[in-house]
Amino acid sequence: VATLGIDLGGTFARAAVVDAQGRILAADKAALGERTPDAVVDVIARAASAALRLAGNVDVTAVGVGAAGQLRGETGIIRVAPNLGWRDVPFGALLAARFNRPVRVVNDLSAAAWGELRVGAGRGVSDLLVVFVGSGVGSAIITHGQLTTGATGVAGEFGHIKVVPGGRPCGCGERGCLEAYVGGHNLTAQLRELLAEADPASPLARLASQLPPGAPALPPLLEQAAGAGDARAREVLTRAADALALAVANQVTVLNPGRLVLGGGTLTHLPLLKERIREGVQAWSSAVSRDGLTVADAELGDDSGIIGAALLASGGWG
Amino acid sequence: VATLGIDLGGTFARAAVVDAQGRILAADKAALGERTPDAVVDVIARAASAALRLAGNVDVTAVGVGAAGQLRGETGIIRVAPNLGWRDVPFGALLAARFNRPVRVVNDLSAAAWGELRVGAGRGVSDLLVVFVGSGVGSAIITHGQLTTGATGVAGEFGHIKVVPGGRPCGCGERGCLEAYVGGHNLTAQLRELLAEADPASPLARLASQLPPGAPALPPLLEQAAGAGDARAREVLTRAADALALAVANQVTVLNPGRLVLGGGTLTHLPLLKERIREGVQAWSSAVSRDGLTVADAELGDDSGIIGAALLASGGWG
């Protein structure tokens, strides 16, 4: 039995045919054009057709979608998808009409966590905390083998806990969120602020001047500059790393997971951040809560969401 | 059908016969003498016999225990009970041998949260966060109508999240825990520190001098002194209140509960703390996560644990 997994981001949609063991049989990716729900459904349908054709037109019993946005529980309604400019779009119903199959829509991080749980770094664990740091920051919590969705479907909004009340503005419209300090997008913003006022002789300014013409300054430059002795780059990075590490340690204390899985591009490209999380969990989480805890890197990379969405469509939460 | 609920604290054990609707049919309380497991089982058995006699010797099908300590998951083993000086005591097995009934042992806060969920301030809610601030600080998390126990049975250790890394020492042996600032025991300690070095003309010193001879200075004095303009009392209280409010707000953000239930003696006696939690949740939790959230006071008082333990024994977690 195979199902169709859909990964809906802000610029691309991917579709994959996934078997019951979580193997991708075939996949296709298409750029989004217009952002209206109907146009996005069209793009997804095209990618899905291509993937199905590649898979030899195997039958799929259901469709699972991991969408970059906030869901209204299990209704299939996308409450907010900032990158698409959507509010309260009944996306599950639209897709179900197109595919004539049951459709399940979940948050992209929930889907990714489910993929890691079932066939990735969380295999065999029933209490799992997954933390992803990419351009944003998110988490997913699995307890008793079930995804914690919360009362209105937005549990896991780890990026929007407040680490500095009244602090830096965040993309969510609030202030002082963890994501405002440590998400890739906001690390880039802080890097640019530093560069705008950096002494040209500072390690940061010198490293930036060595970038190829037109290449943007990206967060790994902070880590390079800090390593070269740049005090201000080190300060920004340390603040971000400490806030992230403390927040993860505290979640370990409260949730007592058997495994902590770390993923996302920002952690991949800034090994210092990932190292600091590991140190922080050791130093700051309650000793009894981390008893038996293992910390692992996410294993499925960009495929975790599409695999997780497909598996969620086929088999419920447990 | 009735079950027996046991509330095992550090100085007393209570036993109650509880019906399937969570009503206490009869109860008895006995002081602990010797702290050996066998001696404690004897005390519990006496209290239980008295309660059963008062209830007209109704038959009980199972026994539930809420114990002030950390459990080893669902094994019935009490890993640590600081007030009893216990380590790895197979208390469930000892009680099962005495009562010849199935016995379930859970943490006292988990039991209390379950009581509030089933027949108290959490009725009808499937995603619940319960925060208790008494002499210590704890929480219980219910998602999908199930108690979150964690991988090793210690989920909910909210009092031991770190709010000031490296800060005040905590009874748990670590530093900077939330409980080290806001638990009743530690508020009393901070109050005594203030009094030891207070200017005799300060509002705090004057209020303390008006206590009846021999009466101890207790945390509500901090709130009175702050209200009378004592800057240092206000500082201690504000630090505690802000740390607590921010921590609760962040848990709301991550867990997206439908209801937050607040209980425990310290919150009852320091209304300012409870008010500050409500303000903090409003100001600091993510807007989408508190969508639909209601905040309520615990309703069952000291009976929540015994009722919850009895109901847990009768009906599983869900």
Side-chain angles (χ1 to χ4, degrees):
Chain A
V1 178
T3 53
L4 194 61
I6 308 289
D7 178 6
L8 176 60
T11 43
F12 286 90
R14 284 178 75 217
V17 181
V18 177
D19 72 11
Q21 282 71 49
R23 287 176 298 224
I24 293 180
L25 304 180
D28 191 64
K29 180 175 177 177
L32 300 178
E34 241 192 304
R35 259 57 168 183
T36 63
D38 282 339
V40 170
V41 168
D42 285 342
V43 170
I44 288 175
R46 277 204 307 276
S49 294
L52 285 164
R53 215 162 35 237
L54 284 166
N57 286 313
V58 55
D59 189 33
V60 290
T61 56
V63 181
V65 183
Q70 285 158 358
L71 281 293
R72 290 207 180 271
E74 284 286 323
T75 61
I77 296 173
I78 296 182
R79 175 204 305 253
V80 188
N83 295 326
L84 298 170
W86 289 3
R87 281 197 169 267
D88 284 322
V89 171
F91 197 61
L94 293 175
L95 280 179
R98 180 68 64 104
F99 285 109
N100 201 24
R101 296 278 184 287
V103 174
R104 185 162 195 186
V105 187
V106 301
N107 170 270
D108 55 348
L109 280 186
S110 299
W114 195 254
E116 292 289 345
L117 174 79
R118 291 288 304 280
V119 297
R123 277 187 312 277
V125 178
S126 59
D127 294 88
L128 184 67
L129 173 61
V130 183
V131 173
F132 286 105
V133 186
S135 59
V137 178
S139 75
I141 301 161
I142 286 153
T143 56
H144 300 298
Q146 281 193 304
L147 194 60
T148 295
T149 50
T152 59
V154 298
E157 283 281 342
F158 185 59
H160 301 289
I161 66 167
K162 302 301 176 284
V163 296
V164 182
R168 285 182 69 86
C170 182
C172 73
E174 299 174 4
R175 281 184 170 273
C177 298
L178 179 60
E179 182 169 307
Y181 293 88
V182 76
H185 188 76
N186 284 301
L187 281 171
T188 301
Q190 292 172 87
L191 171 59
R192 289 190 185 146
E193 290 165 22
L194 287 189
L195 282 171
E197 45 188 49
D199 181 334
S202 66
L204 180 63
R206 279 188 287 112
L207 283 163
S209 73
Q210 290 159 22
L211 290 171
L218 293 173
L221 197 66
L222 284 170
E223 194 162 320
Q224 284 177 263
D230 192 288
R232 302 197 57 201
R234 179 179 300 274
E235 191 185 315
V236 164
L237 206 56
T238 301
R239 182 173 67 178
D242 283 356
L244 177 62
L246 182 61
V248 174
N250 284 343
Q251 284 311 107
V252 167
T253 297
V254 170
L255 297 171
N256 180 214
R259 187 162 300 159
L260 167 64
V261 173
L262 303 174
T266 298
L267 292 187
T268 304
H269 295 299
L270 284 88
L272 189 147
L273 282 186
K274 194 150 59 176
E275 186 50 35
R276 195 74 193 103
I277 293 177
R278 288 176 178 265
E279 291 169 1
V281 166
Q282 201 56 37
W284 293 327
S285 67
S286 167
V288 295
S289 296
R290 68 168 183 270
D291 189 18
L293 176 77
T294 50
V295 184
D297 290 343
E299 290 178 3
L300 305 179
D302 291 342
D303 289 336
S304 57
I306 211 160
I307 294 171
L311 292 175
L312 278 169
S314 70
W317 297 106
Chain B
V1 179
T3 52
L4 195 61
I6 309 289
D7 179 5
L8 177 60
T11 44
F12 287 91
R14 284 179 73 216
V17 181
V18 177
D19 72 11
Q21 282 71 49
R23 286 176 298 222
I24 293 181
L25 304 181
D28 191 65
K29 180 176 177 175
L32 301 178
E34 241 192 305
R35 258 58 167 182
T36 64
D38 282 339
V40 169
V41 168
D42 285 342
V43 170
I44 288 175
R46 278 204 306 277
S49 295
L52 286 164
R53 215 161 36 238
L54 283 167
N57 287 313
V58 55
D59 189 34
V60 291
T61 56
V63 181
V65 183
Q70 284 158 359
L71 281 293
R72 289 208 181 269
E74 285 285 321
T75 60
I77 297 173
I78 296 182
R79 174 204 307 254
V80 188
N83 296 325
L84 299 170
W86 288 3
R87 281 197 169 267
D88 285 321
V89 171
F91 197 61
L94 293 175
L95 279 179
R98 180 69 62 104
F99 285 109
N100 201 23
R101 296 278 184 287
V103 173
R104 185 166 194 182
V105 187
V106 300
N107 169 270
D108 55 349
L109 280 187
S110 298
W114 195 255
E116 292 289 345
L117 175 79
R118 292 288 305 279
V119 296
R123 277 189 310 280
V125 178
S126 60
D127 294 271
L128 183 68
L129 173 62
V130 183
V131 173
F132 287 106
V133 186
S135 58
V137 178
S139 75
I141 301 160
I142 286 152
T143 56
H144 300 296
Q146 280 193 306
L147 195 58
T148 296
T149 49
T152 58
V154 298
E157 284 280 342
F158 185 61
H160 301 288
I161 67 167
K162 302 299 176 283
V163 297
V164 181
R168 285 183 69 85
C170 182
C172 73
E174 299 174 5
R175 282 184 168 272
C177 298
L178 179 59
E179 182 169 308
Y181 294 89
V182 76
H185 188 75
N186 285 302
L187 280 171
T188 301
Q190 291 172 87
L191 170 59
R192 289 189 185 146
E193 290 165 23
L194 287 190
L195 282 171
E197 44 187 50
D199 181 335
S202 68
L204 180 62
R206 279 188 286 112
L207 283 163
S209 72
Q210 290 159 22
L211 290 171
L218 293 172
L221 196 65
L222 284 170
E223 193 162 322
Q224 283 177 265
D230 192 288
R232 303 197 57 203
R234 179 181 301 275
E235 191 185 315
V236 165
L237 205 56
T238 300
R239 181 172 67 178
D242 283 356
L244 178 62
L246 182 62
V248 174
N250 284 344
Q251 284 310 106
V252 167
T253 296
V254 171
L255 297 170
N256 180 213
R259 187 163 300 160
L260 168 64
V261 172
L262 303 174
T266 298
L267 292 188
T268 303
H269 295 300
L270 284 89
L272 189 147
L273 281 187
K274 194 149 61 177
E275 186 49 34
R276 194 75 191 103
I277 293 177
R278 287 177 179 265
E279 291 169 0
V281 166
Q282 202 55 37
W284 294 326
S285 67
S286 167
V288 296
S289 295
R290 68 169 184 270
D291 189 18
L293 176 76
T294 51
V295 185
D297 289 342
E299 291 179 3
L300 305 178
D302 290 343
D303 290 335
S304 57
I306 211 161
I307 293 172
L311 291 175
L312 278 168
S314 70
W317 297 107

